[in-house]
Amino acid sequence: MRAAAATVMGIAVAAVMAISIPWGLGTYGETFYYSSDSMGFAPLGFLVIYLAIPAALLTAVLTAMLGVRAKDAHERAVMAALGETAGTSIRRAVLVGLRDGAIAAGIAYAFMGAMHLAVESANGWPSFTTETNAWATRAVEGAVGIVALTVAHLISAWRRNRSPVELSRAAVGAYRRPKTGHLAVRAGVVLAAAAGLIVGLALTHDGDAGGSASGLADGAYMTVWIAAVAVALTALLPAATALAFRGVGLASRVADRLGSTQLAAVLRTRSADRTKAAARVVLVIGVFGFAAGALGAVDTGVRHSDSFAFIYTENPTDPVETVARIEAMDGVTDVVAADVVGLGADDWTEVVAVDPADLVGVDDELADALLAHPGAAVASSSLAGGDASRDGGVARAFRPDAVVPLVGWGLAYVDATEVDLDSTGHTYLVYVSEGADRMAIGDQLMDAVLTSDGASPASQGITFPAGQDGGYSWETPDLGASLFWIVVVVLALAPVAFTAVRAGTRDAATLTALGSPARAVRTAVAIEGAVLGLTAATIGVVSGVATGALTEVLDRARLSLDGVITDSYLAVALDSINWVTSLGFIVVVSLAYAALAAMVASAVHLETPAEALKEGTATR
Amino acid sequence: MAVDHVDLDIPAGVLTAVMGPSGSGKTTLVHLLAGLDRPDSGQVWVGDDEITAMKDKQLAKVRGRIVGFVFQGFNLMQTMSARDNIVLPLRLNGLPQDPEWLDALVEMLGIGRELERRPYEMSGGQQQRVAIARALITRPRVVLADEPTGNLDTHASAEVLAHLRVSCRELGQSVVMVTHDPTAASYAGRVLLFADGKVAGHVTDPTPDAVLAGLDALAGVER
């Protein structure tokens, strides 16, 4: 299982590394600018913290995988019987983890690096000139993967003062529900206490940006995440295992009702045959599901209308003439003119002052937010509190009373009729018809002005909303990103299915030797895979979604201390659910695991039960 | 080649022992007889049925209803109780349970206290008895046993062998037993001596001394 665990780590790390490749390089062409700043220690440290929860979940997956095959545990028992001390065993495990991790992460790093260079080369950019931070980012991600695999090996080698005989019995492969009740209860109490603290602070404090209450809430928020993961791993996913075994029993009764008595008999046997391998498979899929549900939670807040394409800035300019010129372009349906502050290089956020009346019927959600909260900024929630004073553009523009969260990007909208800005120029919100090529319109707009009268405007630029730059992340709620992550999970499940099915070869061969047709056994393996996959994926995703929604709500409560306005916490909870990823994960992963299990069962099924029995003896 | 040019007739009602050095093809022979393995060439018949010509479904029926097999490594389902292991062939083949027959087997094999335990909670001898009970639970016409008394003490071995001899005589079963123990072989009506995948000789009405003499002669031939 060592190789499978290293493979899964490599796939997971490669997938995360792929996020930082500049996939959109060709799409944007001249309208897009790539920075090449070097990355300091602070952002790298932030990245490690950002990756802490995914790394913890990856560690859980890898630990579960290392326990799928009883042979590994058996070998550890033999080594203990031969005199190997616990300390030596752990040191050996750590070295194995480091070596396997370095190889897997190294391959992933090299492959994704080559991909980065290929994307640059294919789009005519010199090597190492775009997204240069990504090289350091990927190195950190690789290091986090190595740590995850090493910790998983360490946990697997941990003996808990067992004697060699006890280790030997534990290595048999029978599933025993872990005694984690106390741990789950403690984690639940910590979760409730931390959540209660955040809610309490939110109710009793107001406008405490950067204060002690705000710092306390930040700490409680991190605690909520850690405790929620602990509850999932110690209570929810073990419950999924018990449920999955019952599910196989239910499948047996269904098969019996349908007249497939032999299939029913095999399924009944497999339901009673509660192996550690099957339990670990449930845990692996469940953790993946939890990650999909929790980390896939989408940002909540005001969203632009679907027809919104980009913001175009051109100065100096005549707003009336410019609006007319842009509206005349093919595919453009509406253009809203606004004033802007913060076009300097040090300005993180551009503040756009727009009349909400101009947005009614064009961009209703934004219009409603501006009308409902005059004096507030509709902006990224990070703008709230202390961040505003550090942001050059915003600091020069105004001090917002409050912030209504805006999904996606570094713009702040204010009601031009309520906030008096010292404008530094004009900007235009451009809306297009469905199916229009937004990038092409942007390029056309830039080119047209560059060539008009042979003179360039003093400043000109286009800013696209996040999620349209050809890249993806686990928070991007579009179909392509969801499919990408689901494919990654399916790839990672392949070695899990292979090892789990092979671990059961001996039992499957015994059933065949006792009179079950090989086909019935193979079908049962596939059905069992579907049931295990469906149960694990469902409980994993549901618990992940619940965690994601809870943390999103608590995040908003925490941010309320910094002045972030939330109209409805229930709406926030519901809006945070990434339905495409969640439902897609449940359906695709359970079907994929069943298919993988069936394929592996067919592939490892040897010509005769005698051969399979020999093979099973060798692999058990 | 594990088994080569073997022409055998295993009569009903006779306990047949197969002996020979390790690697001589004994286990392969019983696997072929049970339909667990397919020969590259040749035929295996059980009664009037040629099992080497059967498709998977027919073969499964033979394995489940006609043949009972005691594996050398027991091959018990580790996560199921002894009772569930014993009745497993009945469940898999849709056969009715016969509590009296189960009780008789349990009593004969002395595993009454082990019925609710898992295999990994039992000794090797106890696991072997459960494996024997599982092989006999369907009252098969053919019983094939690979070292069925290898892990049993003298007293238990004698009981099991005596039962196999009685049941094959009274039920008309064909029983083939692979063993390295001349005393165990002496319970058989006939001992086949195997070497290099071939039948190198046989001993009828064997005694431990006669079996040892036959094995010594076999060793002399090999030298």
Side-chain angles (χ1 to χ4, degrees):
Chain A
M1 212 57 211
R2 248 182 73 188
T7 305
V8 168
M9 188 279 266
I11 291 170
V13 166
V16 175
M17 286 178 176
I19 293 171
S20 57
I21 291 177
W23 301 106
L25 211 51
T27 316
Y28 281 85
E30 63 199 53
T31 65
F32 208 74
Y33 170 75
Y34 277 87
S35 72
S36 57
D37 298 338
S38 61
M39 185 178 254
F41 284 108
L44 287 177
F46 176 77
L47 184 64
V48 171
I49 294 170
Y50 186 68
L51 289 173
I53 295 294
L57 294 173
L58 179 63
T59 305
V61 165
L62 297 174
T63 307
M65 286 187 67
L66 289 170
V68 165
R69 206 170 58 160
K71 186 188 167 199
D72 298 332
H74 177 69
E75 281 176 359
R76 276 196 293 278
V78 171
M79 295 297 278
L82 292 176
E84 187 184 62
T85 64
T88 310
S89 167
I90 287 171
R91 270 196 300 278
R92 190 160 51 89
V94 168
L95 287 175
V96 166
L98 285 172
R99 190 179 54 195
D100 288 359
I103 293 170
I107 292 171
Y109 188 83
F111 185 75
M112 288 303 152
M115 195 76 88
H116 190 145
L117 295 175
V119 169
E120 285 179 331
S121 171
N123 292 289
W125 290 74
S127 297
F128 302 106
T129 56
T130 65
E131 295 285 2
T132 48
N133 292 342
W135 296 90
T137 303
R138 288 196 289 265
V140 171
E141 290 161 350
V144 169
I146 293 171
V147 170
L149 186 61
T150 304
V151 172
H153 273 280
L154 192 150
I155 292 170
S156 299
W158 194 258
R159 289 179 184 163
R160 297 183 195 88
N161 297 323
R162 287 178 175 178
S163 69
V165 170
E166 287 170 323
L167 284 173
S168 215
R169 284 184 186 152
V172 163
Y175 168 71
R176 282 184 183 174
R177 189 165 179 172
K179 294 175 183 172
T180 50
H182 289 302
L183 194 57
V185 169
R186 283 178 202 160
V189 168
V190 171
L191 173 61
L197 179 61
I198 293 172
V199 173
L201 289 170
L203 290 174
T204 55
H205 291 70
D206 195 19
D208 184 56
S212 58
S214 183
L216 197 59
D218 291 349
Y221 180 68
M222 280 303 293
T223 307
V224 162
W225 260 110
I226 294 166
V229 170
V231 167
L233 292 177
T234 56
L236 300 174
L237 297 179
T241 306
L243 206 60
F245 287 133
R246 288 188 185 182
V248 179
L250 181 67
S252 161
R253 290 193 286 281
V254 171
D256 202 25
R257 287 269 175 89
L258 295 173
S260 301
T261 51
Q262 282 179 316
L263 179 61
V266 178
L267 281 169
R268 194 161 57 239
T269 305
R270 295 193 75 89
S271 167
D273 185 21
R274 299 186 168 196
T275 62
K276 211 182 276 179
R280 294 299 179 106
V281 166
V282 172
L283 191 57
V284 168
I285 298 175
V287 172
F288 277 131
F290 180 83
L295 304 178
V298 294
D299 284 341
T300 56
V302 174
R303 290 180 189 279
H304 276 291
S305 97
D306 291 340
S307 62
F308 177 69
F310 52 79
I311 281 197
Y312 173 66
T313 306
E314 180 186 318
N315 287 295
T317 182
D318 172 2
V320 176
E321 184 272 329
T322 306
V323 167
R325 176 161 51 85
I326 300 173
E327 278 183 338
M329 295 172 70
D330 280 348
V332 175
T333 54
D334 292 286
V335 178
V336 176
D339 289 331
V340 65
V341 177
L343 297 175
D346 297 330
D347 299 335
W348 299 352
T349 306
E350 295 169 14
V351 180
V352 176
V354 60
D355 185 346
D358 293 344
L359 293 168
V360 173
V362 179
D363 204 338
D364 287 325
E365 207 172 324
L366 180 58
D368 291 345
L370 290 169
L371 289 168
H373 303 285
V378 179
S380 162
S381 56
S382 65
L383 190 67
D387 284 351
S389 58
R390 293 195 296 271
D391 191 319
V394 176
R396 277 199 300 280
F398 77 120
R399 175 85 185 182
D401 297 341
V403 171
V404 179
L406 172 72
V407 173
W409 59 343
L411 280 176
Y413 293 100
V414 293
D415 184 343
T417 61
E418 293 286 334
V419 178
D420 189 19
L421 283 185
D422 186 11
S423 169
T424 55
H426 298 290
T427 197
Y428 305 90
L429 284 72
V430 179
Y431 299 82
V432 298
S433 57
E434 192 178 345
D437 186 343
R438 297 161 188 226
M439 310 303 165
I441 292 171
D443 281 342
Q444 193 185 339
L445 193 53
M446 296 288 282
D447 290 343
V449 176
L450 283 169
T451 55
S452 66
D453 303 330
S456 304
S459 70
Q460 186 190 27
I462 284 181
T463 311
F464 288 92
Q468 291 186 18
D469 60 355
Y472 48 86
S473 79
W474 47 62
E475 292 171 350
T476 311
D478 67 46
L479 189 61
S482 298
L483 281 177
F484 171 80
W485 287 108
I486 288 169
V487 167
V488 167
V489 170
V490 171
L491 280 177
L493 282 180
V496 179
F498 181 76
T499 311
V501 173
R502 274 196 73 177
T505 301
R506 189 167 186 255
D507 286 350
T510 300
L511 294 178
T512 312
L514 294 177
S516 296
R519 193 174 169 185
V521 174
R522 285 200 299 273
T523 307
V525 169
I527 292 174
E528 183 188 26
V531 172
L532 294 183
L534 181 64
T535 313
T538 304
I539 292 188
V541 166
V542 168
S543 52
V545 162
T547 300
L550 175 68
T551 51
E552 189 69 20
V553 164
L554 291 174
D555 191 32
R556 283 297 193 85
R558 174 180 71 98
L559 288 170
S560 73
L561 293 168
D562 295 343
V564 169
I565 298 170
T566 299
D567 292 330
S568 165
Y569 283 95
L570 179 62
V572 166
L574 293 174
D575 287 350
S576 72
I577 299 171
N578 190 337
W579 293 102
V580 175
T581 299
S582 302
L583 295 176
F585 185 95
I586 292 172
V587 173
V588 176
V589 167
S590 48
L591 288 177
Y593 187 76
L596 284 168
M599 280 192 286
V600 176
S602 296
V604 300
H605 173 73
L606 301 169
E607 283 298 308
T608 65
E611 285 179 56
L613 286 167
K614 286 179 205 158
E615 174 74 6
T617 305
T619 58
R620 193 169 172 84
Chain B
M1 193 174 298
V3 175
D4 185 22
H5 286 91
V6 171
D7 189 2
L8 266 182
D9 184 17
I10 311 286
V14 176
L15 175 58
T16 303
V18 180
M19 298 192 78
S22 297
S24 59
K26 305 182 297 293
T27 295
T28 304
L29 175 73
V30 288
H31 280 164
L32 289 169
L33 296 177
L36 297 178
D37 216 342
R38 288 184 189 275
D40 295 329
S41 61
Q43 300 168 331
V44 178
W45 292 73
V46 175
D48 296 329
D49 301 316
E50 186 200 343
I51 63 172
T52 38
M54 286 180 176
K55 299 230 184 286
D56 179 56
K57 214 166 183 176
Q58 296 168 294
L59 207 50
K61 201 170 270 183
V62 169
R63 291 181 197 130
R65 299 181 182 216
I66 297 174
V67 174
F69 202 101
V70 183
F71 293 95
Q72 193 174 11
F74 320 136
N75 282 18
L76 299 175
M77 308 297 278
Q78 291 293 319
T79 57
M80 295 167 73
S81 68
R83 182 193 298 278
D84 286 340
N85 266 288
I86 293 170
V87 301
L88 186 56
L90 301 175
R91 286 183 182 161
L92 290 174
N93 295 285
L95 298 170
Q97 293 199 21
D98 180 349
E100 288 179 10
W101 178 231
L102 174 64
D103 290 345
L105 286 174
V106 166
E107 190 180 344
M108 184 219 19
L109 293 161
I111 48 175
R113 292 165 66 180
E114 272 69 55
L115 282 181
E116 303 310 323
R117 293 167 69 187
R118 305 285 188 277
Y120 58 84
E121 296 168 327
M122 300 177 197
S123 69
Q126 288 166 335
Q127 290 186 53
Q128 192 149 35
R129 293 172 211 217
V130 173
I132 292 168
R134 186 178 67 181
L136 298 176
I137 191 72
T138 56
R139 299 177 197 265
R141 277 164 51 198
V142 179
V143 177
L144 300 157
D146 199 353
E147 296 276 6
T149 57
N151 286 284
L152 300 184
D153 57 53
T154 312
H155 179 69
S157 292
E159 273 191 33
V160 167
L161 291 166
H163 174 81
L164 285 176
R165 188 163 62 183
V166 169
S167 74
C168 80
R169 191 167 56 220
E170 293 184 356
L171 300 175
Q173 289 173 320
S174 301
V175 181
V176 178
M177 166 181 73
V178 171
T179 182
H180 283 102
D181 178 8
T183 306
S186 69
Y187 280 80
R190 182 170 66 146
V191 177
L192 298 173
L193 302 173
F194 239 66
D196 295 332
K198 295 185 173 71
V199 179
H202 67 272
V203 180
T204 48
D205 297 327
T207 61
D209 288 341
V211 172
L212 274 174
L215 289 171
D216 284 345
L218 197 62
V221 170
E222 283 193 329
R223 274 196 297 272

